[in-house]
Amino acid sequence: MISGAEIVVRCLQEEKVDCVFGYPGGSVLHIYDALFKQDQVKHILVRHEQAAVHAADAFSRSSQKVGVALVTSGPGVTNTVTGIATAYMDSIPMVVLTGQVPSFYIGQDAFQECDTVGITRPCVKHNFLVKDVKDLALTIKKAFHIAATGRPGPVVVDIPKDITAQMCEFEYPKSIQMRSYNPVVKGHLGQIKKAVQILQEAKRPIIYTGGGVILSDAAQKLTELAHKLNFPVTNTLMGLGGYPATDKQFVGMLGMHGTFEANNAMHYSDVILAIGARFDDRVIGNPEHFEEEKRKVIHIDIDPSSISKRVKVDVPIVGNVNDVLEEILKLMDSGFKANPEVANWWKQIDEWRGRDSLRYKQAEHIMPQYVIEKLYEVTGGDAFITSDVGQHQMFAAQYYKFDKPRRWINSGGLGTMGVGLPYGMGVLMAHPGAQVACVTGEGSIQMCIQELSTCKQYGFPIKIINLNNGMLGMVRQWQEMFYSKRYSQSYVTSLPDFVKLAEAYGHVGMKIERPEDVEPALRKAFTEHKNDLVFMDFIIDPGANVFPMVAAGKGLTEMILAEDL
Amino acid sequence: MRHIISILIENESGALSRVAGLFSARGYNIESLTVAPTEDPSLSRMTILTWGSDEVLEQITKQLNKLIDVVKVVDLSEAAHVERELMLIKVRATGKDREEMKRMADIFRGRIIDVTESTYVIELTGAGSKLDSFISGIDAGLILETVRTGVCGIGRGDRILKV
Ligand SMILES: Cc1cc2nc3c(=O)[nH]c(=O)nc-3n(C[C@H](O)[C@H](O)[C@H](O)COP(=O)(O)OP(=O)(O)OC[C@H]3O[C@@H](n4cnc5c(N)ncnc54)[C@H](O)[C@@H]3O)c2cc1C
Ligand SMILES: Cc1ncc(C[n+]2csc(CCOP(=O)(O)OP(=O)(O)O)c2C)c(N)n1
Ligand SMILES: [Mg+2]
């Protein structure tokens, strides 16, 4: 017989979890004691529980494994909520273990008690309160199973302190059967046949792919399929890297800040092959405008509720992207003839490409786009790029050409400022020794700045690319364009000296103010300071805006381009 | 359109709040909700009366199916079914109203299940509309209290909701 706390640790070992991000407190002390007595599961001590969850989330995003966070009850839990909601919105598998007050105190407003299951319910795939030590191992098994299968998502397991002290036999279930949870994996063959037929007839096709391709590790199959079809490919923000950005069939990201060619190709297509993408409001613009063009939509998604939610779908295919693409490829092998008119469509697309909608003007100040282009060159296009939220995020998405999946780590659905630095920590735990850059802004970085201390403790050599415009730039852009330049609360005064700040935490700081210094500074950071965390404070053009832009309520083709201004 | 959704759900604590939370979070409306364990005590059966367009109903069913505890969901109103609701209504029953109440209860095939010198408790079952018309058929001033279970329903004939 072993204690509940030991059971928790044994379960983690059985799940091959090699690291946990966490922060201790009263209700998890038994678990921390059990962690102390072994060395298979490493523990990374963060400086704020929000960062523990973000790091676990990035651990998942950058690998095929499930990230794990461990926190104490009450404030420990409430601090995790932003991180859990962030993972939930982007369908990231994760297990969060939370301490709870002893079961016999629950409901009595005990010290550091909160209704964890209630508070997290709307932002988890599922959650559990363990009421009996005999259920502990099975519950943790279920949590990992639910988190990683079907449409992935975070799962919370709330464990009262007394249960971690109780003794019980340990047996880890090898497999699990749940009558209420059986996600579909294989797509319906009849539907897949229908889809292939429509693809053959398509004159103006587009392959529109999203986070589902990344989550399903289907980048290779997608590339194979796209090459066989010779159709244009566009990615959502979450789908970047699912198809090589340097490939000639790639037309760029679509949506609010998508390229001219991607948005036009999406809008004027006659067939959309949507793969693991959910027709988000930032992607299709005004839905009425979008529906004005008649087209056929084929939609592959593991979650039936993503299908026909915002856009009516003609051929729904419920299943795992990887499996469905395999079926499509098989069917195509037995004879597929693309419509010759697709050649004209490519002519049209090349014409749209000619607008060069990502062109920008160099100025006396450093342009943020330029920093990303140089970052791409210096890292050989092969770094893990984590990002915060704002203009810098869009610049990174537009100008760093991701050729591989799981390299672009950002918060799309919730759009959480503050994720960038802890995301870097999570990536480095999954890929020790990898090149990791965190593209951020002076606003976002301050939301989890305390993690510079964690980075020191564990030697995470993240390169922080702070695109410092002295502004909440994304907010400022909207105010400039839609609120007659009334810059209400978007200007950040009293910024810290980031170089000194980095040094105070024991890291290297650099301030870069001239365009000609950008590349040398980056090279220095990635070579001489390869093993250091380098905080690179780029003082950029404060007026730089993100283009193209589809304003709220506008149609996808009604883009504002840089050249219009 | 009015829909009656029947759900088989694991009989776990918190299951009800997952369903109720889903409806409020996504802005779906619940007209009535009833729930109780089935003959298999590990399962509960829930009946929800809701309103919405076909698209909204499609989303409601898909979202309910997504809940991990939910085993099965059907929209009863899609095909032949029967539905019933139970109401207990306490009315003032004095003087000439005493006789009138008894008569009304008989017309609606209700039963008087509690009697005092001045009040009756009448039990009525039927479709919601029948209960409504009973209420509007008596003098509003005489109604002391009403309690209704909300709709529950079951498919006709071979339509069976079971695991
Ligand atoms: C400042 C800002 C600006 C933004 N601008 C843009 C923009 O211009 N363009 C843009 O695209 N986005 C933009 N976004 C992001 C946007 O809000 C959404 O997060 C994003 O568009 C959603 O991407 P997705 O459709 O790929 O869906 P995801 O959220 O990645 O969802 C994945 C889909 O795939 C399905 N899925 C998961 N796993 C599998 C599997 N194994 N098999 C099959 N299906 C699976 C899921 O059910 C889901 O439907 C912006 C965000 C921010 C913060
Ligand atoms: C936690 C949180 N609060 C508020 C916002 C709204 N918001 C989106 S972008 C942005 C500005 C970000 O500023 P900064 O990090 O400096 O990036 P920039 O846009 O200047 O590149 C704000 C406030 C958000 N996304 N997340
Ligand atoms: Mg800024």
Side-chain angles (χ1 to χ4, degrees), chain A residues 441-443 467 469 471-473:
Chain A
E442 78 302 318
L467 299 180
N469 48 13
M471 308 263 184
L472 301 177

Side-chain angles (χ1 to χ4, degrees), chain A residues 468-507:
Chain A
N468 188 343
N469 48 13
M471 308 263 184
L472 301 177
M474 186 54 96
V475 173
R476 202 222 72 240
Q477 176 167 348
W478 284 60
Q479 291 171 335
E480 178 185 332
M481 299 171 72
F482 314 118
Y483 294 87
S484 310
K485 305 195 179 179
R486 289 186 300 278
Y487 296 127
S488 178
Q489 307 296 319
S490 55
Y491 185 76
V492 182
T493 51
S494 356
L495 285 173
D497 178 333
F498 286 112
V499 172
K500 278 194 192 146
L501 184 79
E503 287 168 1
Y505 277 106
H507 300 301

Side-chain angles (χ1 to χ4, degrees), chain A residues 89-91 150-152 208-212 215-216 235-239 253-258 276-280 282-283 300-303 306 319-321 389-390 393-394 411-413 415 474:
Chain A
M89 287 297 279
D90 291 340
S91 307
R151 179 177 184 167
Y208 149 67
T209 83
L215 290 162
S216 161
N235 289 162
T236 67
L237 181 74
M238 300 315 293
M253 180 172 86
L254 82 169
M256 179 175 274
H257 294 298
R278 55 188 174 84
F279 292 93
D280 186 80
R282 292 226 152 174
V283 167
I300 307 170
D301 203 293
I302 202 155
D303 178 359
S306 281
N320 180 32
V321 169
V389 171
Q393 176 188 21
M394 293 300 111
S411 161
M474 186 54 96

Side-chain angles (χ1 to χ4, degrees), chain A residues 99-165:
Chain A
Q100 180 56 280
V101 300
S103 47
F104 43 86
Y105 283 163
I106 289 179
Q108 300 183 11
D109 300 320
F111 177 63
Q112 296 195 326
E113 175 180 358
C114 76
D115 176 7
T116 300
V117 166
I119 286 180
T120 59
R121 197 194 62 231
C123 59
V124 292
K125 182 168 173 186
H126 198 57
N127 55 18
F128 296 96
L129 169 64
V130 181
K131 291 184 179 147
D132 188 328
V133 68
K134 291 203 271 311
D135 299 334
L136 186 54
L138 179 64
T139 306
I140 294 178
K141 175 81 191 176
K142 277 187 187 168
F144 276 92
H145 173 66
I146 292 170
T149 51
R151 179 177 184 167
V155 178
V156 167
V157 183
D158 198 26
I159 313 172
K161 185 171 185 179
D162 53 325
I163 285 175
T164 61

